[in-house]
Amino acid sequence: MALEIVSDKLPFNQEQIEAVASAYPTLAQPLLQRWVMAQYGAAMLQVQAFEAQLASLVLTVRAKERPPSKNAKRALEKSLRKITHLLEHATATEMRNELEGRVDEAILDEIDFLIPWRNRLAHRYLRQRLTGPGEKTIKATPDMPFELFEISNAFTAAGRRVEQEQRAIMATLASPGEVPPGLVDTITLVISELVVGKPPRFKARGTGGAE
């Protein structure tokens, strides 16, 4: 399920932030760093929601290409187990490749555009943008929260389009009387719980908690 952002715009524009950062650098820098971290977290949340939606679309495409099951309940349970596997183990690239030739080409183009940004965010965005070669202290720039906000919006919009594609395919799987009531909503609910459900608390090794 695509997650809705709280607001579609930021309270300040980049020129205003640049002016404040220039006039009061010592005061502005720690606040700017915190804002960047908050926007980074929001962007990564949308990335995770987008990957969950991709997993759901992959399973819907698989269901379209296999013979109908005589036991809808068992088929649903099996599909939900596969969703968990896709979310925990499959990469966005693997899921995209499985959709090749099976969904609208425009969606594949959008996924192709976003996957490098997903990888950049996860592996090096903050390290590259907040520090320079050989530097040990971080420094945020006024453009970073705005860039992260745009990235978050892009993943949000893509998640909506992927969800629309999933529902369109699901509607073709069988006649209305043959589709188990609430099938799409059930799958969407389970995905939502997997994405935003409470994870185990982290504890350092040897303390008996998650590692």
Side-chain angles (χ1 to χ4, degrees):
M1 177 173 59
L3 299 178
E4 297 298 323
I5 58 175
V6 176
S7 173
D8 61 355
K9 63 181 180 180
L10 293 175
F12 310 103
N13 60 48
Q14 187 172 329
E15 290 73 21
Q16 292 171 322
I17 300 303
E18 288 174 346
V20 173
S22 177
Y24 308 98
T26 302
L27 174 64
Q29 184 55 212
L31 297 176
L32 188 57
Q33 289 177 15
R34 286 169 173 78
W35 192 13
V36 166
M37 297 302 181
Q39 289 299 145
Y40 177 79
M44 286 304 299
L45 174 60
Q46 294 302 334
V47 168
Q48 293 170 13
F50 175 70
E51 290 178 332
Q53 201 61 53
L54 275 184
S56 181
L57 180 57
V58 166
L59 291 176
T60 303
V61 167
R62 290 177 183 175
K64 180 181 179 181
E65 296 177 350
R66 65 172 177 258
S69 172
K70 295 181 179 180
N71 189 324
K73 183 176 183 295
R74 181 177 299 175
L76 176 58
E77 292 173 349
K78 186 175 181 180
S79 293
L80 295 180
R81 287 196 298 270
K82 289 181 178 179
I83 288 176
T84 304
H85 173 77
L86 284 172
L87 285 174
E88 293 181 350
H89 302 289
T91 67
T93 299
E94 291 171 338
M95 289 188 282
R96 181 259 180 245
N97 289 341
E98 190 162 344
L99 296 172
E100 181 76 44
R102 296 169 165 177
V103 298
D104 191 300
E105 193 68 29
I107 290 180
L108 294 178
D109 290 342
E110 190 159 18
I111 296 172
D112 287 337
F113 171 74
L114 290 175
I115 284 177
W117 276 103
R118 179 266 175 216
N119 294 337
R120 190 172 295 120
L121 283 172
H123 300 298
R124 57 189 178 276
Y125 181 87
L126 290 181
R127 176 171 50 82
Q128 288 181 336
R129 293 297 308 274
L130 291 174
T131 63
E135 295 181 356
K136 295 184 178 180
T137 58
I138 65 174
K139 183 178 180 180
T141 56
D143 65 302
M144 288 184 66
F146 296 92
E147 179 179 52
L148 286 165
F149 187 74
E150 291 302 317
I151 293 171
S152 178
N153 283 347
F155 277 97
T156 301
R160 293 194 193 106
R161 282 187 279 276
V162 168
E163 183 176 6
Q164 290 171 359
E165 180 77 2
Q166 178 207 0
R167 288 181 176 274
I169 294 173
M170 187 70 75
T172 69
L173 294 181
S175 63
E178 296 174 329
V179 177
L183 178 61
V184 175
D185 291 333
T186 299
I187 293 177
T188 300
L189 176 62
V190 172
I191 292 172
S192 177
E193 290 175 349
L194 288 171
V195 175
V196 301
K198 298 296 183 181
R201 291 281 186 179
F202 174 82
K203 292 185 179 180
R205 290 175 62 89
T207 60
E211 300 179 2

